[in-house]
Amino acid sequence: MMLTAVFAGFVLAALAPWLTARLGGRVGWLFALLPAAIFVWLAGYIPAIAAGESFYYHYPWIPGLDINLTFLLDGLSLLFGLLISGIGTFIMIYAGKYLDGHQYQGRFFLFLLAFMASMLGLVLSSNLIALFVFWELTSITSYMLIGFNHEDEKSRKSAQQGLYVTVGGGLALMTGLVTLAMVGGSYELVELLGSSEVVQEHALYLPILLLILLGTFTKSAQVPFHFWLPNAMAAPTPVSAYLHSATMVKAGVYLMARLHPTLGGTDTWMIVLGLFGAATMFTGSLMAIRSSGLKSVLAYSTVMALGTLTMLLGVGTPTAIAAAVTFLLAHSLYKGALFMTAGNITHETGHKDFRDVGGLRREMPVSTLFGGLAALSLAGILPFFGFIGKELMFEAVLEANTIGTLITLLALASGIMTVAAAAIVGLRPWFGVRKPTKHTPHDPPLAQLLGPGVLASLGLLLGLLPFIAERSVLSAAALAIAGEPVELKLSLWHGFNLPLLMSAISLLVGLTIYWKWDTVRELLQARRFIDTLGAERGYDAIMRALVVVSEWQTRVLQNGHLRYYILTTVMTLFALLAYTILTRYPVWPGVDFSGIELQHLVIAVLIVLAALVAVSTHSRLGAVATLGAVGFGVALMYVMFSAPDVGITQVLVETLTVILLVLVLFRLPGFLDLTEHSTRLRDAIVAVLMGGVFTLLLLMAIDVQFFPSISEYFIEHSYPSAHGRNIVNVILVDFRTLDTLGEIFVLALAAVGVYAMIKLRAEDRKEGDRP
Amino acid sequence: MKIESSIILRAAGHFLLPLLIIFSIFLLLRGHNEPGGGFIAGLVAAAAIALYLFSMDIQAARKALYVDPRDLIGGGLVLAVLSGIPAALQGKAFFTSLWWPVELPLLGEVKFSTPLIFDIGVYLVVIGSVLTIVLNLAEAEEKS
Amino acid sequence: MESLMAIVVGILYATALYMMLRRSIIKLVIGLILLSNAANLLIFTAGGMTPAAPPLVPEGMLQPEGLVADPLTQALILTAIVISFGVLAFAVVLIHRAYEVVKQDDMDMMKDTDR
């Protein structure tokens, strides 16, 4: 069942283009059935998991490498699984209508469904390798979806940027995960969760932590990697709502939460996550009120939320974890709703900027209601669920000791700006003066209202009845993150205390900012230096450098001169061999000229002389003859040193080679001395050096025997087991048959290649095939 | 190839070809116990046909071969792969050798076996490959 | 004996590389031929060149008596010789074809023909 749930999405994705072509936009309702079914199935686990149970599924994949498809269903994965499938349901319906009639709607659903399956696999996997594979799959599907409008250059660039940043971080993550598995002794999350002491006291703890955080920070758009997320808004709105606010970008948060019991709780963890999270939160909220695009305000406020979650995980107290899970749920609900509403505004009016829309409440009353509800939750107003999350967040940062003052101030500042952003999102398009629009707006059809409606209403419902969320999944999720039971105590009213005061301040100041938003925004936008913050410039510089380097290395290495390729290869080989010989083998190998008989010496001298003549001759016939002499000399060596089979083969091949050369070589022009004297001298030196290294290498190989030869086995077993007296032949056709099979395939391919090359020219001549 | 070869070479080609082919088969069959085997036997047979080619002409060489050398390559590869299947059918590892000793006239006891089938495959591939190369080159030479 | 052969192998490698570094196509072919001889001889020598019986099991015995030459290197070289013939044929024909198409046997000039 678990496998089905995870992989059904991929199967449906494969069918999506075909189904969409048949059914059109209505297909969204059909596709929504899958996430809906998964949601219902997962919801069935709520009672057991709320009672503290967890479920573990094991399917062998590559057992030899300890890589298995294992799945862990506990509070945390359940919370994420429900969010992915629940919001996924509405996104499918929404996208069916939103992209109705789009040329590539089928392709869109393909990627979207594949993404959903990858994301489910990611949060449910218990094996680190499987988790990583799903992690990368989400990056790839996200890339496809950001670049969905592939004819638009900005889309392509944003898609690439998102891919490079997240996959680059993924590389670090993989290294971190593998090291973690080596240190912790298992690739299984369930086992790693219990080995925090071993891991945290290990010398490699810091590298592991930093590598994994690099992966999660890039994925979850933490400062300084936050720049890719607003650019990713080039994707169609359902993608922004689903991937870039509710689910994928939370994968990093998920992994940090998941590994909190293993890696968390140390000072490093607290400071790194706390500071980076707080910085991201502040940057996100500041950038949100500095922008004016419908989607970019929402995107930056997502950056703010991701920073908040990271910061809360860094603080790591029970209150902070309670705040994290609450904030996570609240954010997914209102942000999904707000993005879909923003999409509806653009869809209906044709405008993409908050400056261009206003007073739409009469034409779009239902949208106004849902957008407003969601914005109230974002602002953290009583009695919405967002309020509870925000209160808990303030409470948590007030409790934090190490860097408490700093992050409290940042939290208050970003709280203020978030209220302002919520006001921009929730008031600006609907109220005030009716601005002229490109199209006449109406409330969109049900498919596009269902998602915002349900999600925004849930934000209100859970705010009024917080115990529903608490008892179903949030307690269990907090348990999984903390590694011990956490009492959430979710309620709307905590009495008059400091968090409430902070809420009140942020509300008042935030609304003031909104009142003067146009001035504030222009003031902020005039501060150009803010644009230069963040790593986007670094990213651009790296990309430019890559191009420069690749141009340079292509020019240098792929220069089109075969002999320079050979020279480079040979010199590299020479350097590596010489280095190895000098460092690993300090003893000069023994040279032993005893036992050489006259005939051996004569043949050796013959081979050498023939080779030298072949090199220096100017006659083609002379070259062929001397090459033959080399070959026959070598054959004689084989025969004299007890290799009759090899000797015979060499003689036969030598004969055929002469035939070959006669047939081809004489149809080429004669020898040319093309190179200058100095070049020849250089080549001669290189050749002699390399020859010397091979002599040295061979002397060493004879001198040292590292392993017992496997030949003994063949000699002993040739007759008893393989019934053959010619051991060489037995090796060829019995002991090592598969090798020989490969070799005759190579021979056959060479022959086919020759045939093809000769016959190819028959195109412009007479068709001369079989006689 | 328009070489006016001498009568002696022509006569030698005529008589040597069958002898060399038989010799190559002899080398092939004894290869498991004495120097020889598919590679050597294949080269001998190919060299024999190449010799014939030089003493006669391409048409004659192709006729002496009966089949297109490319078919020999394919047939040889198929035979070599097939020799691994009997063992696989018996549940053993692919290419595990199986033996059926047979008494034959003239040659004495020949142990019929999957390695022998494989070696025949090698023999055919070597003949086919070498002759595909040589015959086509010679043909190209003739045309130009 | 191995020491002598090591020197022979070294010289063969040197001549082969020198020829492969030339600009003329034909010299490249000669270099290839020398290179495959050098490599085969290298493997053969590495297997040991002490005088020993050929790797054959005498009639009526289960195992060869006394020292026999290393059969494994022989098997390796045997196939290598045949394959290097195939590869050589391929290279030679390729070069010939290239020459026919671009009418140029100086490889420095060939470089410019794909523009």
Side-chain angles (χ1 to χ4, degrees):
Chain A
M1 189 63 208
M2 182 54 107
L3 269 185
T4 318
V6 173
F7 287 99
F10 291 116
V11 177
L12 194 59
L15 300 173
W18 182 74
L19 284 172
T20 313
R22 303 294 294 270
L23 299 171
R26 285 166 298 163
V27 81
W29 293 94
L30 178 70
F31 290 145
L33 289 177
L34 177 69
I38 294 173
F39 185 87
V40 170
W41 172 69
L42 283 172
Y45 283 93
I46 288 177
I49 286 175
E53 280 187 66
S54 63
F55 298 86
Y56 181 67
Y57 303 82
H58 183 279
Y59 306 94
W61 184 13
I62 317 173
L65 290 175
D66 195 18
I67 297 172
N68 298 299
L69 273 181
T70 50
F71 297 103
L72 173 66
L73 190 58
D74 64 356
L76 185 61
S77 40
L78 181 67
L79 172 62
F80 272 91
L82 288 172
L83 282 175
I84 294 161
S85 55
I87 298 180
T89 308
F90 298 114
I91 294 288
M92 295 293 162
I93 297 170
Y94 182 86
K97 197 74 204 168
Y98 187 83
L99 285 171
D100 195 7
H102 192 286
Q103 192 183 356
Y104 298 127
Q105 197 181 19
R107 194 184 294 178
F108 180 82
F109 275 117
L110 188 161
F111 297 139
L112 200 63
L113 284 161
F115 164 77
M116 189 191 75
S118 317
M119 194 67 206
L120 269 177
L122 165 58
V123 297
L124 291 169
S125 282
S126 171
N127 186 286
L128 290 182
I129 298 292
L131 184 147
F132 177 74
V133 170
F134 285 121
W135 176 284
E136 294 291 272
L137 277 174
T138 61
S139 292
I140 293 167
T141 43
S142 158
Y143 164 73
M144 296 303 218
L145 287 166
I146 301 174
F148 181 66
N149 296 318
H150 57 84
E151 277 152 20
D152 175 24
E153 194 192 339
K154 191 176 166 296
S155 282
R156 292 200 304 270
K157 192 169 173 287
S158 304
Q160 265 186 8
Q161 194 181 52
L163 184 75
Y164 291 153
V165 172
T166 53
V167 169
L171 224 53
L173 175 71
M174 182 178 74
T175 321
L177 289 180
V178 171
T179 320
L180 172 64
M182 276 159 53
V183 169
S186 170
Y187 277 102
E188 285 303 310
L189 272 177
V190 273
E191 285 169 45
L192 284 171
L193 293 181
S195 56
S196 66
E197 279 177 28
V198 184
V199 175
Q200 296 193 359
E201 279 160 22
H202 198 277
L204 287 172
Y205 169 71
L206 193 63
I208 292 174
L209 180 67
L210 294 182
L211 284 168
I212 291 180
L213 289 185
L214 195 57
T216 59
F217 279 14
T218 49
K219 192 84 161 183
S220 280
Q222 297 295 303
V223 165
F225 306 111
H226 61 284
F227 58 88
W228 74 266
L229 184 57
N231 291 339
M233 294 303 140
T237 301
V239 176
S240 308
Y242 194 33
L243 274 70
H244 303 125
S245 70
T247 57
M248 184 188 95
V249 288
K250 296 218 175 83
V253 173
Y254 165 78
L255 195 61
M256 288 187 270
R258 178 50 88 197
L259 292 174
H260 179 258
T262 315
L263 297 173
T266 61
D267 285 345
T268 325
W269 169 280
M270 251 182 253
I271 290 171
V272 173
L273 263 68
L275 286 184
F276 277 93
T280 309
M281 172 180 72
F282 179 76
T283 314
S285 52
L286 180 70
M287 293 303 281
I289 57 166
R290 187 172 178 260
S291 351
S292 60
L294 286 178
K295 279 169 122 190
S296 51
V297 172
L298 289 173
Y300 278 117
S301 100
T302 304
V303 172
M304 177 280 291
L306 295 168
T308 311
L309 289 167
T310 305
M311 176 189 76
L312 288 172
L313 288 172
V315 172
T317 56
T319 320
I321 287 171
V325 290
T326 314
F327 197 89
L328 175 84
L329 178 58
H331 175 258
S332 294
L333 295 176
Y334 63 67
K335 198 52 71 67
L338 285 173
F339 261 114
M340 286 191 258
T341 307
N344 286 345
I345 295 173
T346 308
H347 207 246
E348 292 298 323
T349 64
H351 292 280
K352 292 181 171 180
D353 199 295
F354 279 115
R355 284 171 297 184
D356 303 332
V357 288
L360 293 170
R361 66 180 186 283
R362 286 189 208 288
E363 282 102 332
M364 301 175 73
V366 186
S367 300
T368 309
L369 174 66
F370 293 155
L373 286 179
L376 286 171
S377 195
L378 165 65
I381 311 271
L382 210 73
F384 286 85
F385 198 53
F387 171 76
I388 304 179
K390 194 171 168 184
E391 289 282 284
L392 277 170
M393 190 264 282
F394 284 141
E395 203 178 319
V397 293
L398 285 170
E399 276 177 20
N401 31 30
T402 331
I403 41 177
T405 322
L406 178 64
I407 62 174
T408 307
L409 287 175
L410 288 173
L412 183 61
S414 81
I416 292 169
M417 292 186 285
T418 303
V419 170
I424 298 166
V425 177
L427 302 176
R428 183 90 180 190
W430 316 116
F431 300 98
V433 195
R434 171 76 168 85
K435 293 191 180 162
T437 49
K438 286 183 196 162
H439 314 303
T440 319
H442 304 284
D443 259 327
L446 175 67
Q448 278 175 260
L449 286 176
L450 194 62
V454 172
L455 297 180
S457 314
L458 269 177
L460 178 59
L461 181 76
L462 291 180
L464 294 171
L465 306 164
F467 63 90
I468 298 179
E470 178 178 347
R471 292 199 196 144
S472 56
V473 284
L474 291 188
S475 289
L479 164 73
I481 299 173
E484 59 197 10
V486 178
E487 210 187 331
L488 260 59
K489 299 171 292 187
L490 296 191
S491 63
L492 277 176
W493 190 247
H494 287 270
F496 291 101
N497 53 14
L498 208 47
L500 187 70
L501 181 65
M502 288 167 78
S503 281
I505 293 173
S506 58
L507 192 62
L508 283 174
V509 183
L511 286 175
T512 318
I513 291 179
Y514 172 66
W515 180 42
K516 294 280 176 200
W517 180 50
D518 290 318
T519 326
V520 173
R521 190 186 65 239
E522 274 154 29
L523 210 66
L524 282 171
Q525 279 178 347
R527 301 287 169 275
R528 307 299 314 178
F529 75 92
I530 299 179
D531 289 323
T532 66
L533 302 176
E536 187 159 15
R537 273 154 54 102
Y539 169 85
D540 288 340
I542 290 172
M543 286 296 136
R544 275 196 303 275
L546 261 181
V547 173
V548 171
V549 168
S550 64
E551 275 175 356
W552 170 79
Q553 71 95 19
T554 309
R555 212 166 42 238
V556 171
L557 293 178
Q558 306 199 8
N559 46 34
H561 294 271
L562 177 67
R563 61 178 201 281
Y564 290 144
Y565 296 170
I566 296 175
L567 202 62
T568 314
T569 314
V570 167
M571 289 315 290
T572 312
L573 187 62
F574 175 77
L576 292 175
L577 277 176
Y579 174 79
T580 315
I581 287 172
L582 289 176
T583 51
R584 295 285 174 85
Y585 198 98
V587 189
W588 200 249
V591 181
D592 177 18
F593 287 113
S594 66
I596 300 177
E597 291 172 35
L598 185 63
Q599 67 266 34
H600 301 154
L601 191 63
V602 169
I603 296 168
V605 171
L606 172 90
I607 296 173
V608 169
L609 284 179
L612 291 175
V613 173
V615 169
S616 51
T617 183
H618 282 254
S619 138
R620 282 176 292 179
L621 194 62
V624 172
T626 46
L627 281 176
V630 172
F632 285 110
V634 172
L636 273 175
M637 278 289 176
Y638 293 147
V639 174
M640 280 197 292
F641 287 92
S642 310
D645 291 274
V646 183
I648 300 169
T649 313
Q650 172 84 8
V651 169
L652 289 165
V653 164
E654 212 52 54
T655 315
L656 289 167
T657 306
V658 171
I659 296 179
L660 178 78
L661 293 181
V662 168
L663 283 175
V664 181
L665 209 54
F666 287 96
R667 297 163 65 201
L668 292 169
F671 286 170
L672 298 166
D673 275 327
L674 293 165
T675 37
E676 290 163 16
H677 190 70
S678 59
T679 322
R680 273 186 270 166
L681 187 67
R682 180 200 66 193
D683 293 346
I685 291 171
V686 169
V688 169
L689 278 177
M690 204 58 205
V693 165
F694 271 104
T695 300
L696 209 57
L697 190 71
L698 188 48
L699 286 173
M700 285 166 186
I702 298 160
D703 222 27
V704 205
Q705 179 114 38
F706 288 105
F707 310 102
S709 170
I710 53 168
S711 303
E712 295 306 315
Y713 173 87
F714 295 136
I715 295 172
E716 273 172 33
H717 289 83
S718 173
Y719 194 72
S721 324
H723 311 286
R725 297 189 183 280
N726 181 355
I727 304 172
V728 174
N729 186 261
V730 169
I731 292 176
L732 286 177
V733 299
D734 197 333
F735 287 131
R736 315 283 315 152
T737 318
L738 211 54
D739 290 353
T740 313
L741 185 69
E743 280 150 3
I744 58 177
F745 263 99
V746 173
L747 188 63
L749 279 175
V752 171
V754 169
Y755 178 79
M757 278 193 288
I758 294 173
K759 289 297 173 189
L760 267 180
R761 74 178 135 194
E763 286 167 14
D764 48 356
R765 287 185 200 174
K766 194 170 64 83
E767 280 291 318
D769 208 4
R770 298 178 178 214
Chain B
M1 191 172 280
K2 293 288 170 202
I3 302 171
E4 281 306 312
S5 44
S6 71
I7 297 204
I8 299 173
L9 190 58
R10 281 164 159 281
H14 251 303
F15 288 110
L16 276 179
L17 179 67
L19 280 178
L20 282 173
I21 297 291
I22 290 172
F23 178 60
S24 77
I25 293 172
F26 166 72
L27 280 175
L28 169 69
L29 291 181
R30 76 164 203 168
H32 219 51
N33 293 320
E34 306 279 338
F39 280 102
I40 293 174
L43 287 170
V44 167
I49 306 235
L51 177 69
Y52 194 72
L53 162 77
F54 277 91
S55 63
M56 309 302 222
D57 60 10
I58 298 166
Q59 258 56 37
R62 284 204 185 267
K63 211 171 271 171
L65 194 61
Y66 291 113
V67 288
D68 191 284
R70 286 175 292 159
D71 296 341
L72 289 180
I73 301 180
L77 287 177
V78 168
L79 206 59
V81 173
L82 282 182
S83 77
I85 291 177
L89 288 181
Q90 292 188 10
K92 295 174 186 158
F94 195 62
F95 277 135
T96 309
S97 50
L98 300 172
W99 295 82
W100 306 276
V102 185
E103 204 68 42
L104 278 185
L106 289 175
L107 290 163
E109 191 207 40
V110 168
K111 286 175 188 143
F112 191 65
S113 63
T114 53
L116 184 64
I117 300 175
F118 183 80
D119 221 7
I120 295 172
V122 172
Y123 175 72
L124 295 178
V125 172
V126 172
I127 300 180
S129 302
V130 172
L131 288 182
T132 303
I133 295 167
V134 171
L135 286 179
N136 281 301
L137 275 175
E139 239 164 39
E141 170 85 348
E142 195 174 54
K143 275 186 203 149
S144 62
Chain C
M1 189 61 210
E2 284 93 344
S3 306
L4 177 67
M5 289 311 292
I7 295 168
V8 174
V9 167
I11 294 173
L12 281 182
Y13 265 106
T15 52
L17 281 174
Y18 180 75
M19 287 310 259
M20 290 171 76
L21 290 171
R22 308 269 54 79
R23 269 163 71 179
S24 158
I25 286 190
I26 303 181
K27 292 189 176 177
L28 177 68
V29 175
I30 295 173
L32 279 176
I33 297 175
L34 287 168
L35 192 69
S36 59
N37 272 319
N40 288 335
L41 214 49
L42 177 95
I43 299 171
F44 189 65
T45 311
M49 290 189 79
T50 42
L56 298 170
V57 184
E59 201 73 42
M61 278 193 239
L62 287 178
Q63 281 166 19
E65 249 185 343
L67 211 56
V68 292
D70 191 338
L72 186 60
T73 51
Q74 295 193 13
L76 290 176
I77 301 168
L78 200 152
T79 49
I81 293 172
V82 181
I83 289 180
S84 63
F85 172 74
V87 173
L88 180 71
F90 187 85
V92 165
V93 174
L94 180 68
I95 284 166
H96 182 239
R97 277 290 283 156
Y99 172 70
E100 271 189 337
V101 173
V102 303
K103 298 281 176 239
Q104 185 56 262
D105 70 328
D106 179 354
M107 287 191 286
D108 274 18
M109 298 298 160
M110 274 194 179
K111 162 182 183 288
D112 298 323
T113 51
D114 58 351
R115 300 250 165 89

